[in-house]
Amino acid sequence: MKTRTARALGSALPALIAGLCLSVAHASSNKIALIPGGPHPYFAPWEQAAADAKKDFNIGAVDFKVPADWKLNLQTELIESLMTQGYDGFGIFPGDAVGINTTIEELATNKAPALALAGCAQDPTKAAFCLGTDVYNSAYLGTKALIEAMGGKGRIVHLAGLLVDPNTKLRMAAVEKAVKETNGVVTLTQHITDTDSQEAADQKINALLGAQKDQVDGLIATAYIPSVVAAKSLRNLGDRRIKLVGIDDDKIVLDAVKDGFAAGTMAQNPYGQGYVGAYVLDLLASGTCKVKADAPFIKTPQTARFIDSGTLLIKADNVASYKDELKKVTNDLRSSFKTKYLDCK
Amino acid sequence: MTVARRFFTQEWSALAVAIAIGLATLSALSPAFLTEYNLYVVLRSFCVVLVVAFAQMLTLAVGQLNLAVGALGGLVAIAVGGMMEKLGLPTGVAVFVGLAIGVAGGVLNGLLTVRTGINGFIVTLATASVFTGINLGVTESIPFYNLPPDFVAFGVKRFFAVPYLLIPPVIAALLLALFLARTVPGRYLLAVGGNPHAAELSGIPRDRIVVLAHALSGLLSAVGAILAEAQLGSAQPTIGADWLVISFAAPIIGGAALTGGHVSVAATALAVVLVVLIQNGMVLAKVDPYWVQFLLGALILSAVGLNRFRAIRIERA
Amino acid sequence: MIASVDMGSSFRLKAWLAEQSNAIGLAGIVLLFWIVFASLAPGFISPFNLFAMSRTLAIDTVIGFSTMVVLATGGMNLAIGAIGVCSVMFAGYLMQVLSLPGPVALAGGLALGSLLGWINGFAIVRTGVNSFIITLASASLFNGGMLILTKAVIFNGLPPTIAEFGRMRWDVVSPLLLVALLIGSALIVLFRLTALGREILAAGANARAAELSGVPVGRAIVIAHTLSGLLAASAGLMLLSRLGAAMPSVGQDWLLPSFLAPVLGGALLSGGSVSVVGAMIGALLVTTIRSGLLILQVGNFWLQLFLGVMLLLAVLLDRYRAVYAERRSLGRRI
């Protein structure tokens, strides 16, 4: 008996000590800020991601700070103010891909690492890298799914976000590519842009459905709000003929997928972006790790250091389980991050 | 005078002609334009703008510029939404309180203007910031999504092509026309706007009338906000953010004089119809949406120019 | 009368103090806020924060000037944001698409701003229509025109010197602040020492009297609006150097700050009286409060409310002061 206890203790003790060492080693005094470009329902999961990252990785503080409006000067003022308040790691959705670089440079001068999350800063940039959805790929896959749902033929309308957003231009190109690949069987009637605000979406989508309902066979929405508004409008019309593929997982869109008013929606990974972003910022801010110069980044038109945070098509058959699938993607991303992208002491 | 002559001497005749041309063009451009569903969509897009235009029209009538129309609207929208969602108040109560907030905001504007003698422009610029500030501070830009189903349904239901949403603005228009033409306070309002000094000398309580105008304007802002909320199905803090230009454009295109004393409910309503039709047409004709802003500015200038031209001709005659 | 010379100089000093009372009072309030903010959050007076504030201050001051020169004529200019963004996009276009050197492009931007301002002034004087309507309409026209022509594309391939100037830092201030101060000095000279400045103020104070006295009121108004356009373009270009890119979103929220600074500084809305120094201190007060509240974590969402209340108080105070001054002067028969 004594030997068994001794052996049990013998195996348990090192694990305990290792566990203690691990938790002590990870406790940091860093203050990380996650900053969207402005108020938008897409970023809502960042709040939970911040809280979870703080808990899971023992970070001093991880806070979700939202600029009062989608104006670049409000975002930069907020960032500058946070820096003065002692924050030393910044996860930013750039209010403008180029305009944000001046501020990121200032952060770099003050030894505060910055990451572009969910949207990229334009190269040359001092942002360590960009962690986001490969919007081109997501729009491409979404359009292909729509074409499939339409039975391979018909007329599509693309509902897009702000025209001045570089992501929008990428999405427009992706939709056009998918349509081109059908060799004329499927046609793209028009891109309707600037629909990512409630009033604009309501006006434009209803005007479209009102006057051209019978000339549209499919809708591909590559922004949050038009996905929601289109789903609602189709439900109000009782229309299951027009196929819709949207983006993001607002409850209204998911219900539409369940009830057949939408063929599917492309989920992004906002939680993962916030969670993994905070994790990496903490490591960078402590000086524990540096970004590998030769890491396997993806090259996009905006930056040479892009990391895909994952995307997935939610259809009627995985509406219930997609959250778990995304969580798995997030966990895989985090656990392999150090070895793949970082040089750590 | 023949009917035709009478028609053309009316101020809004140019507007009516423009609208007729616009409707004809749109029907030609898109065969589905005259379908029931599309007419419903088009009519639905008038509702909020009509009420907003009337709100501004009332303050213009007394020669005041009201920059707080949108901000007050936004505040009422989130207040009503918040009451229904967070406090669980029944729709009727929430709407009533919302209207009361609108009136209170208007009274605040009016009192500040008359008591301090400061130009209504600056007073409402400041109060607009205050209202928006409260709006943002309370909501942190997060909309209220869970509104009672019967409230949301009101924004969608229709009687053939006529949306239920159109009923309040039409009633408002009729009441306003009656108010301005037939009631004593209404006539006082126009008198104060036209010639404040003469009005005062005639014994009209000028200050009280200005406050009344602002109060009614606030009430209409509130109505517009509640309609917008029903239309969108959620209480967006951004409601009202883009009401400013259109709130001035419609009455001005409808012939209102900035100095006051001269407004027309019918002309304002027709101006709203024209602008909204143009916006609708833009989407249908797949025209670059940025033309809308440009055209709006051009419309205002031509309307003002036309009115000046007409005024000069009358003077010369 | 004894020592009329002595009484003269002390009298003049008192008169000058009385005239600057508004600016002095304002400066006192600014100082008070600085003490409060610095004691509550030492980061407020950190070199970086001072630098950041100086940059915002510079731009907001010039925006305020743009409205101020029009307020002097008793009118208003709602198109400053639109003129600003047009100048910015034009300069960006010249630099990026036509590859013109920086100074040439900047001059082009300033020229366009002046032209647009001139159009406003000309329209106002020729048609006799209220400046509110004209500039409301022209704001839509200019902004819409800009969007149509540029298709809302951002020019971000500008020569790096532009962005470098915006990032430049002289310890605690930005060179942009020097630019703003230079502009301010030029305006002080204009309004105090030149005939043109006096004509603009006269046109605002009492257009009819001015006209009867031989002041070319129409020309004064046109020049005031041209100047306003030039200043709006300057503010836009300063913002351009700060951002390092030409963006179509510039100018959208200039309306409130453009009025706040001059009105706080004592400009009369009816026209005829402006204070350049007052406007600068007013802009400083606004920047101070914004920065301070942000640092104190009062919440970036409540800022707007504070600014609105501040404007109200400023206007009320101004009104009170005017009434007080009137009462005092009625009792002083000098």
Side-chain angles (χ1 to χ4, degrees):
Chain A
M1 207 150 53
K2 250 179 129 178
T3 24
R4 248 195 285 155
T5 345
R7 245 190 291 150
L9 272 170
S11 50
L13 214 50
L16 244 121
I17 295 174
L20 267 165
C21 285
L22 225 56
S23 54
V24 167
H26 271 219
S28 80
S29 59
N30 292 326
K31 281 170 85 168
I32 310 289
L34 296 179
I35 304 164
H40 196 280
Y42 174 84
F43 300 106
W46 279 16
E47 196 160 12
Q48 184 64 41
D52 291 345
K54 177 171 189 287
K55 198 167 49 96
D56 294 346
F57 308 118
N58 243 310
I59 307 177
V62 184
D63 293 319
F64 176 57
K65 298 269 182 197
V66 185
D69 200 353
W70 277 93
K71 302 216 163 73
L72 183 62
N73 61 304
L74 287 178
Q75 189 185 40
T76 51
E77 264 171 29
L78 181 59
I79 295 174
E80 285 165 359
S81 180
L82 289 172
M83 206 170 82
T84 322
Q85 292 168 43
Y87 282 78
D88 53 7
F90 294 82
I92 304 171
F93 177 93
D96 176 81
V98 172
I100 198 67
N101 280 329
T102 321
T103 311
I104 294 183
E105 275 232 21
E106 277 166 5
L107 291 175
T109 318
N110 285 283
K111 307 266 187 295
L115 298 179
L117 296 176
C120 300
Q122 179 90 19
D123 274 350
T125 176
K126 289 260 176 15
F129 54 81
C130 177
L131 174 64
T133 314
D134 186 341
V135 297
Y136 186 87
N137 196 30
S138 161
Y140 177 71
L141 291 174
T143 312
K144 294 214 14 194
L146 174 68
I147 294 175
E148 201 188 304
M150 278 163 42
K153 61 186 195 329
R155 294 150 297 186
I156 298 182
V157 171
H158 174 204
L159 305 171
L162 278 177
L163 189 56
V164 300
D165 183 353
N167 280 345
T168 304
K169 302 236 172 60
L170 286 172
R171 290 172 157 133
M172 282 162 68
V175 170
E176 285 170 9
K177 176 162 184 276
V179 167
K180 208 150 154 254
E181 287 174 359
T182 66
N183 281 323
V185 184
V186 175
T187 50
L188 174 64
T189 320
Q190 59 172 316
H191 300 280
I192 302 186
T193 57
D194 293 315
T195 57
D196 203 14
S197 79
Q198 265 289 12
E199 281 143 306
D202 192 80
Q203 185 200 45
K204 292 184 182 179
I205 296 176
N206 281 319
L208 173 74
L209 288 175
Q212 295 175 351
K213 194 159 42 93
D214 302 318
Q215 287 131 8
V216 175
D217 305 302
L219 292 171
I220 173 82
T222 55
Y224 192 105
I225 293 179
S227 304
V228 172
V229 174
K232 263 204 293 205
S233 300
L234 288 177
R235 183 187 284 274
N236 282 335
L237 267 174
D239 189 310
R240 287 194 170 84
R241 181 192 68 83
I242 301 181
K243 304 290 177 220
L244 165 70
V245 168
I247 194 170
D248 295 317
D249 55 351
D250 188 285
K251 187 166 175 312
I252 293 177
V253 180
L254 291 179
D255 286 341
V257 172
K258 265 189 260 175
D259 300 336
F261 290 107
T265 182
M266 299 303 296
Q268 305 193 75
N269 193 1
Y271 179 86
Q273 289 157 358
Y275 188 72
V276 177
Y279 168 69
V280 177
L281 279 168
D282 180 46
L283 294 173
L284 292 177
S286 313
T288 320
C289 296
K290 280 213 293 274
V291 177
K292 264 194 229 177
D294 57 348
F297 292 122
I298 302 172
K299 197 165 174 344
T300 72
Q302 280 184 298
T303 175
R305 297 190 301 274
F306 180 80
I307 302 175
D308 192 347
S309 58
T311 182
L312 102 92
L313 173 63
I314 305 177
K315 293 211 296 246
D317 53 8
N318 63 342
V319 168
S321 61
Y322 82 94
K323 274 217 157 85
D324 301 318
E325 292 174 49
L326 273 178
K327 239 196 161 199
K328 188 167 172 311
V329 171
T330 302
N331 283 329
D332 287 344
L333 185 61
R334 188 202 71 76
S335 50
S336 66
F337 205 92
K338 258 194 187 170
T339 39
K340 250 179 126 181
Y341 298 102
L342 301 176
D343 265 330
C344 295
K345 298 202 206 111
Chain B
M1 265 202 282
T2 63
V3 174
R5 238 154 149 230
R6 279 188 71 183
F7 178 72
F8 278 109
T9 51
Q10 289 283 11
E11 270 183 342
W12 41 262
S13 55
L15 281 173
V17 169
I19 291 174
I21 297 177
L23 279 173
T25 321
L26 285 175
S27 323
L29 267 179
S30 174
F33 189 77
L34 293 174
T35 59
E36 189 183 295
Y37 184 70
N38 188 55
L39 283 177
Y40 157 70
V41 167
V42 172
L43 285 173
R44 201 159 165 264
S45 50
F46 292 148
C47 303
V48 174
V49 189
L50 269 173
V51 178
V52 168
F54 291 148
Q56 188 65 255
M57 189 190 78
L58 275 172
T59 42
L60 281 178
V62 289
Q64 299 266 318
L65 302 167
N66 186 354
L67 293 186
V69 171
L72 186 53
L75 183 60
V76 170
I78 62 117
V80 170
M83 280 187 276
M84 292 195 288
E85 183 181 312
K86 289 274 155 46
L87 301 180
L89 293 177
T91 310
V93 175
V95 167
F96 182 75
V97 176
L99 293 176
I101 295 177
V103 173
V107 168
L108 175 71
N109 284 337
L111 282 177
L112 279 172
T113 309
V114 299
R115 283 287 163 77
T116 62
I118 302 168
N119 193 315
F121 177 81
I122 279 283
V123 168
T124 52
L125 179 63
T127 56
S129 267
V130 172
F131 296 146
T132 307
I134 300 176
N135 180 339
L136 282 181
V138 166
T139 62
E140 301 206 344
S141 291
I142 300 174
F144 293 118
Y145 282 120
N146 292 327
L147 301 180
D150 53 338
F151 181 74
V152 177
F154 180 75
V156 175
K157 279 218 273 262
R158 59 194 172 106
F159 183 70
F160 294 110
V162 180
Y164 281 21
L165 218 53
L166 190 60
I167 301 175
V170 168
I171 297 179
L174 292 170
L175 286 175
L176 265 178
L178 262 165
F179 175 72
L180 288 174
R182 295 293 162 101
T183 66
V184 173
R187 300 263 280 283
Y188 279 179
L189 223 132
L190 290 172
V192 167
N195 193 329
H197 202 60
E200 220 168 358
L201 289 174
S202 318
I204 296 177
R206 195 181 106 184
D207 286 357
R208 258 192 283 164
I209 291 290
V210 171
V211 175
L212 175 67
H214 273 279
L216 285 176
S217 181
L219 176 66
L220 285 170
S221 293
V223 172
I226 296 171
L227 289 176
E229 211 174 318
Q231 185 175 2
L232 293 173
S234 58
Q236 298 282 333
T238 51
I239 288 177
D242 52 358
W243 285 1
L244 187 68
V245 177
I246 189 63
S247 78
F248 280 104
I252 289 173
I253 296 172
L258 266 196
T259 43
H262 186 94
V263 293
S264 160
V265 174
T268 305
L270 284 178
V272 168
V273 169
L274 181 63
V275 173
V276 173
L277 275 183
I278 291 179
Q279 283 177 332
N280 199 283
M282 293 275 150
V283 176
L284 284 185
K286 303 186 188 69
V287 169
D288 203 340
Y290 301 121
W291 278 96
V292 180
Q293 243 194 44
F294 185 81
L295 282 175
L296 196 59
L299 255 180
I300 297 178
L301 281 180
S302 25
V304 168
L306 254 170
N307 282 336
R308 280 293 293 185
F309 182 64
R310 203 189 273 124
I312 294 173
R313 276 191 65 191
I314 292 178
E315 246 174 70
R316 289 210 198 119
Chain C
M1 291 281 11
I2 325 158
S4 49
V5 175
D6 275 359
M7 201 159 114
S9 62
S10 78
F11 176 66
R12 242 185 291 142
L13 177 64
K14 272 205 212 146
W16 183 82
L17 277 176
E19 200 185 294
Q20 298 298 335
S21 67
N22 184 58
I24 294 175
L26 215 53
I29 297 178
V30 171
L31 194 60
L32 188 65
F33 269 115
W34 275 54
I35 296 175
V36 169
F37 287 141
S39 50
L40 286 177
F44 182 74
I45 42 176
S46 70
F48 181 73
N49 197 45
L50 290 175
F51 166 66
M53 276 205 299
S54 74
R55 238 185 352 200
T56 317
L57 174 63
I59 298 174
D60 281 349
T61 307
V62 180
I63 295 176
F65 286 155
S66 171
T67 296
M68 193 187 74
V69 297
V70 174
L71 282 179
T73 67
M76 51 184 95
N77 187 356
L78 296 179
I80 45 170
I83 295 179
V85 74
C86 284
S87 314
V88 164
M89 295 308 281
F90 185 60
Y93 172 79
L94 290 177
M95 271 188 277
Q96 185 164 318
V97 177
L98 297 186
S99 302
L100 292 177
V104 176
L106 291 179
L110 291 176
L112 179 64
S114 311
L115 175 66
L116 293 178
W118 180 86
I119 292 177
N120 277 339
F122 184 74
I124 291 170
V125 171
R126 267 319 205 105
T127 63
V129 174
N130 191 304
S131 61
F132 180 82
I133 303 191
I134 295 283
T135 54
L136 180 73
S138 67
S140 274
L141 272 172
F142 296 156
N143 208 37
M146 183 274 301
L147 287 172
I148 294 170
L149 288 173
T150 62
K151 299 252 183 285
V153 158
I154 298 174
F155 292 119
N156 50 28
L158 305 178
T161 41
I162 301 281
E164 267 162 37
F165 184 68
R167 276 204 292 271
M168 226 158 76
R169 185 177 158 170
W170 294 338
D171 196 26
V172 291
V173 287
S174 158
L176 290 176
L177 188 58
L178 182 65
V179 173
L181 288 173
L182 284 173
I183 296 178
S185 320
L187 285 173
I188 293 178
V189 168
L190 173 73
F191 283 118
R192 272 190 189 275
L193 300 177
T194 65
L196 175 62
R198 281 200 295 274
E199 283 171 9
I200 294 177
L201 289 170
N206 192 329
R208 261 196 75 88
E211 189 109 42
L212 292 172
S213 318
V215 170
V217 168
R219 197 188 70 153
I221 294 182
V222 171
I223 293 183
H225 274 272
T226 310
L227 189 56
S228 177
L230 177 65
L231 289 167
S234 311
L237 293 176
M238 286 164 79
L239 198 50
L240 172 70
S241 86
R242 168 148 185 208
L243 294 173
M247 291 191 265
S249 52
V250 163
Q252 276 171 3
D253 54 351
W254 283 9
L255 192 61
L256 181 62
S258 77
F259 273 92
L260 208 46
V263 172
L264 278 173
L268 283 181
L269 285 168
S270 46
S273 173
V274 296
S275 165
V276 178
V277 174
M280 291 198 278
I281 302 182
L284 179 59
L285 180 59
V286 175
T287 310
T288 302
I289 293 189
R290 285 183 68 101
S291 180
L293 287 180
L294 264 180
I295 289 201
L296 286 179
Q297 305 238 20
V298 169
N300 35 325
F301 287 107
W302 288 103
L303 272 177
Q304 190 78 336
L305 174 61
F306 278 100
L307 291 180
V309 171
M310 225 169 70
L311 181 56
L312 263 179
L313 288 176
V315 174
L316 286 171
L317 259 167
D318 180 82
R319 185 70 196 155
Y320 172 69
R321 239 203 15 240
V323 170
Y324 181 66
E326 207 182 301
R327 282 207 204 121
R328 276 195 66 199
S329 73
L330 282 174
R332 222 178 55 186
R333 295 252 132 253
I334 296 183

